[in-house]
Amino acid sequence: RKRQGPRKRNGPMIAAIASGKGGTGKTTVAASLAAVWKGPLTAADLDVEAPNLHLFLKAEIAGRLEISMMIPKVDESRCNYCGACSDICQFKAISVLGQVMLTLPEMCHGCGACMAVCPEEAISEGSRPLGEIIWGRRGDIDCLAGRLRVGEAMSPPLIGHVKDAAEKAASERGADLIYDAPPGVSCPAMKAVTGADIIVLVTEPTPFGLYDLKLAVNSFAAFKRPMGVVVNRAGIGNDKVYDYCRQKGLPLLAEIPFTRSAAEAYSKGLILAEAFEEHRERFAVLAEEIRRRSVCAGEVTA
């Protein structure tokens, strides 16, 4: 494992809680970390398709903001159908079919390239709804979450808006940041962990857990940030996850034993660190370890 020296931090400490697949206990870890965190904290749920961190934290919702994204709006009276917009669009959200302009708003990524290259300035900014940001408070924790509009496929732009709002809120209070990232390693997850000081990978000691942990390590290594592993449901499966962590030099940050009482607490919407003293101590140690490791930027070679 390659190490680099300490880096200067110009804003809040950001820890991204991620996983290679869903169902590993990522939100369980994020909620318990938030409950034991020392000092002001902003907790943001970036899993905008199914946000639930604010539900576990039982945040008192204070407001919500509808979010839209830019899409092209074509004035065909000015268009000469040259096709420059269609040529530059990598997602085929705008096309020229003879003397007809066709736009597909659901395909648009909002980059604005079509407007920039149009020689007739026939394209202006339109908009379509993406979803909403909700925010609230629980004690010394600011809670934010994004909720994607039903039927919307473009989650990274909304994730970006939630991150901007969370970083602004954290900066104003001098708070640290915890991101509950979307599961997997596709565009939403990559967008969520970008800019994090440390990436905490939650996995389970099963063949599926190991496979998806490898995907996550290989994908997130490009960010050159410290990574560590939390093994949830420890005691089931086998030791291959541990063998992989040793092979890669991935630090094992914490183990959460598999117990019926923990599963029952989760099913009731309880936070482990609040329901059990043993878990409170476990997550307090994990929180301090995350703080310690986040001050150095490192790289895990995949």
Side-chain angles (χ1 to χ4, degrees):
R1 185 174 45 158
K2 299 176 183 178
R3 288 281 188 188
Q4 297 172 352
R7 70 184 184 90
K8 293 181 180 179
R9 181 180 297 149
N10 297 318
M13 191 282 292
I14 304 175
I17 315 302
S19 63
K21 73 180 188 71
T24 60
K26 180 171 47 63
T27 300
T28 297
V29 171
S32 284
L33 280 173
V36 303
W37 202 263
K38 294 180 180 179
L41 178 72
T42 297
D45 194 335
L46 303 182
D47 186 4
V48 298
E49 295 184 50
N52 60 359
L53 180 59
H54 63 292
L55 300 178
F56 279 93
L57 293 175
K58 297 178 175 59
E60 184 176 342
I61 302 302
R64 59 189 69 234
L65 176 68
E66 291 187 3
I67 301 296
S68 299
M69 71 174 291
M70 188 278 293
I71 59 172
K73 181 180 179 181
V74 180
D75 180 357
E76 289 203 49
S77 67
R78 303 182 65 172
C79 179
N80 65 5
Y81 308 102
C82 67
C85 56
S86 178
D87 292 341
I88 202 169
C89 183
Q90 300 298 304
F91 304 100
K92 303 306 176 186
I94 187 167
S95 300
V96 179
L97 304 175
Q99 298 294 301
V100 176
M101 286 292 300
L102 177 66
T103 60
L104 299 173
E106 292 78 10
M107 301 292 288
C108 180
H109 283 55
C111 69
C114 56
M115 288 186 289
V117 301
C118 180
E120 303 298 326
E121 297 184 354
I123 304 175
S124 59
E125 287 192 17
S127 66
R128 65 180 175 87
L130 267 180
E132 64 176 2
I133 298 175
I134 61 175
W135 64 88
R137 197 78 178 273
R138 173 203 156 124
D140 204 26
I141 306 173
D142 279 333
C143 302
L144 293 92
R147 182 178 287 125
L148 201 64
R149 177 178 62 88
V150 174
E152 175 60 55
M154 204 69 64
S155 62
L158 180 57
I159 291 172
H161 282 286
V162 179
K163 290 179 68 175
D164 289 344
E167 290 180 20
K168 180 180 178 181
S171 180
E172 289 174 350
R173 299 177 59 226
D176 292 321
L177 258 168
I178 288 179
Y179 287 151
D180 186 4
V185 295
S186 60
C187 292
M190 300 298 278
K191 178 73 173 180
V193 304
T194 300
D197 295 295
I198 183 170
I199 302 171
V200 179
L201 299 172
V202 183
T203 189
E204 56 190 18
T206 64
F208 290 116
L210 174 60
Y211 179 83
D212 291 298
L213 175 62
K214 290 179 179 179
L215 290 179
V217 171
N218 290 338
S219 299
F220 298 150
F223 292 105
K224 298 184 179 180
R225 286 289 175 261
M227 286 189 283
V229 175
V230 172
V231 177
N232 190 26
R233 304 186 186 96
I236 65 172
N238 53 46
D239 294 333
K240 291 186 177 181
V241 162
Y242 300 97
D243 294 338
Y244 174 75
C245 289
R246 283 191 292 269
Q247 174 192 344
K248 288 293 183 181
L250 282 166
L252 180 62
L253 302 178
E255 291 181 278
I256 305 171
F258 177 69
T259 62
R260 181 183 179 89
S261 59
E264 290 177 347
Y266 176 82
S267 70
K268 296 174 182 177
L270 301 178
I271 298 175
L272 292 186
E274 294 181 337
F276 306 97
E277 182 61 30
E278 66 201 68
H279 284 303
R280 183 172 190 83
E281 295 175 1
R282 178 174 288 110
F283 282 103
V285 171
L286 175 59
E288 289 305 311
E289 189 68 7
I290 289 172
R291 284 179 183 272
R292 184 179 73 82
R293 292 180 179 273
S294 69
V295 300
C296 292
E299 177 184 357
V300 176
T301 304

